[in-house]
Amino acid sequence: MNSIGMIVLRTAVFLLGIFIIGGTLIAAIKTFILPRGVNVWLTRVLFRSIGFFFRLRVRRATYEDRDRIMAFFPPLALFLMPMILLVLILVGYMCMFWALEPRPFPELFFLSGSSLLTLGYASVNTTGSKILEFSEAMIGLVLIAMLIAYLPTMYSAFARRETAVVLWESRAGSPPTVAEMVARSHRTGELERLRDVWLTWQTWFAELEESHTSLSPLVFFRSLQPQRSWITAAGNVMDSAAFILSTVDVRFEPQAAFCIRAGFLALRQIADFFNLPHEANPTADMPISISRYEFDQVCEELIAAGVPLIADRDQAWRDFSGWRINYDDVLLTLAALTRAPYAPWISDRSALTR
């Protein structure tokens, strides 16, 4: 190859190295630092690739085995993420080192790896190479520092999420059901004093939207107990609020309506982040996944428990359907994505094959 061709090749390889490093750093900044939900290609490819093998592994497993295996999915992906970032930086700098001074592949690998991991056993005493060595070492340290700050933030958000899920279990049972939540509230005399409950869950939904898009791996983190799940708790909260607003003969509580709205807006934002198909603008005449028979069964169970229900059952069903249609599709989609445990009206009808 003549000198001009070699100059062109070395320039192209140097620019390729800059492109790899720049793209990796932008992905790292979006993932670890940017305080908003951005669907990063590198994170998306990593989670989809690892998730594919996990789904193959649990395809024929019982739920207990599936939960145990899938609990390792997000930690493994997070464990591999910084390694992939470091490998990409390593490759990018290998290209740049070669462009400055062409040398055999093993030497490039040792030089770039020594600089990235600040080992210091390989070095080149030229100005250009020294600049690359120092910059690569700084990038390696910054990436590790970002990861160290990222994990505590994620686990703090996970702890806050799970605290509310556990508290809801004491109110709505395990798995959570509308009948259990309404009956227990009636027995304790709280049916007309649930305002603070709905306010608490409005805040929870707001935090859920923020944390599960800016810290997207949280969506796949499973609860401490196999029968619990953030998505089944979220669905049951909205179902309970919708049932009380539409069917229970108590004073109208506007905070319950705001809780439902906060809930379905949060779930839609999470679904949009993952590019999941769902009905964005449902209308009142659309069918829901719950049948009238299932609705009437819950009504009969609550009547037997002494809960006051409104007399016009047909109107109650129409009102309940009108609330449920706002989150019916997106709720089942997220239940399928997370492979949620069994819960009536939620994961018992979600398509796990999605």
Side-chain angles (χ1 to χ4, degrees):
M1 183 180 296
N2 59 39
S3 59
I4 296 178
M6 190 63 180
I7 291 173
V8 172
L9 176 61
R10 291 170 66 176
T11 302
V13 172
F14 191 88
L15 293 176
L16 175 62
I18 292 177
F19 176 78
I20 294 173
I21 294 167
T24 304
L25 291 178
I26 291 173
I29 291 170
K30 289 180 177 179
T31 301
F32 299 127
I33 300 177
L34 189 65
R36 62 169 58 185
V38 179
N39 201 323
V40 181
W41 68 271
L42 185 59
T43 306
R44 183 173 64 251
V45 170
L46 173 63
F47 270 78
R48 285 184 176 177
S49 301
I50 297 175
F52 172 77
F53 292 104
F54 270 84
R55 287 191 295 271
L56 287 179
R57 175 66 179 83
V58 303
R59 179 168 292 178
R60 301 184 183 278
T62 63
Y63 176 75
E64 289 74 17
D65 290 337
R66 186 165 68 238
D67 179 80
R68 176 176 52 80
I69 294 170
M70 292 301 293
F72 285 94
F73 165 45
L76 178 61
L78 287 175
F79 176 77
L80 293 177
M81 187 184 300
M83 292 188 179
I84 292 175
L85 293 174
L86 291 174
V87 167
L88 289 173
I89 296 295
L90 177 79
V91 172
Y93 270 95
M94 286 176 63
C95 294
M96 296 171 70
F97 279 122
W98 183 89
L100 286 183
E101 300 179 47
R103 61 187 67 235
F105 175 83
E107 291 186 27
L108 293 171
F109 178 77
F110 294 144
L111 178 60
S112 183
S114 174
S115 302
L116 179 64
L117 302 177
T118 64
L119 299 176
Y121 66 79
S123 181
V124 178
N125 291 319
T126 61
T127 302
S129 295
K130 285 296 183 184
I131 292 174
L132 292 183
E133 289 175 26
F134 292 152
S135 63
E136 187 175 10
M138 285 191 296
I139 289 175
L141 292 173
V142 169
L143 285 178
I144 298 301
M146 285 194 299
L147 179 66
I148 292 173
Y150 182 73
L151 290 180
T153 302
M154 176 172 294
Y155 280 97
S156 176
F158 172 78
R160 292 195 302 272
R161 185 192 79 183
E162 291 303 303
T163 298
V165 172
V166 173
L167 290 175
W168 187 254
E169 181 182 63
S170 66
R171 183 178 292 274
S174 180
T177 65
V178 170
E180 187 65 24
M181 186 276 172
V182 176
R184 285 185 181 181
S185 298
H186 172 68
R187 288 195 299 269
T188 57
E190 293 182 286
L191 264 182
E192 297 197 46
R193 296 195 298 273
L194 292 172
R195 184 175 186 272
D196 290 343
V197 173
W198 307 131
L199 285 171
T200 298
W201 280 89
Q202 283 182 54
T203 303
W204 186 85
F205 280 124
E207 292 181 352
L208 186 81
E209 177 184 332
E210 185 278 328
S211 62
H212 285 53
T213 53
S214 61
L215 302 170
S216 57
L218 272 176
V219 170
F220 303 100
F221 271 73
R222 305 187 76 81
S223 295
L224 302 180
Q225 298 298 325
Q227 72 275 13
R228 296 176 189 152
S229 168
W230 68 269
I231 189 62
T232 58
N236 186 252
V237 168
M238 291 187 287
D239 280 341
S240 299
F243 191 91
I244 291 173
L245 287 172
S246 62
T247 312
V248 180
D249 189 13
V250 293
R251 177 171 49 86
F252 179 81
E253 175 51 71
Q255 295 305 325
F258 285 124
C259 181
I260 296 172
R261 179 167 177 79
F264 71 69
L265 289 177
L267 296 191
R268 288 179 188 178
Q269 288 294 327
I270 295 171
D272 289 340
F273 178 85
F274 287 97
N275 297 318
L276 298 176
H278 64 91
E279 184 57 56
N281 298 294
T283 58
D285 58 342
M286 290 181 175
I288 61 175
S289 60
I290 299 171
S291 68
R292 174 63 186 271
Y293 174 74
E294 291 175 299
F295 176 81
D296 286 337
Q297 275 189 315
V298 172
C299 289
E300 295 302 323
E301 184 177 343
L302 291 174
I303 289 174
V307 178
L309 304 184
I310 66 173
D312 190 345
R313 186 76 60 82
D314 292 334
Q315 183 60 46
W317 166 246
R318 287 192 293 271
D319 291 343
F320 176 80
S321 298
W323 287 112
R324 171 84 187 200
I325 193 60
N326 289 290
Y327 57 89
D328 184 81
D329 185 41
V330 69
L331 176 64
L332 302 191
T333 299
L334 287 172
L337 175 70
T338 59
R339 295 180 173 260
Y342 169 82
W345 294 9
I346 305 169
S347 53
D348 61 339
R349 60 206 65 211
S350 62
L352 287 178
T353 55
R354 293 185 186 185

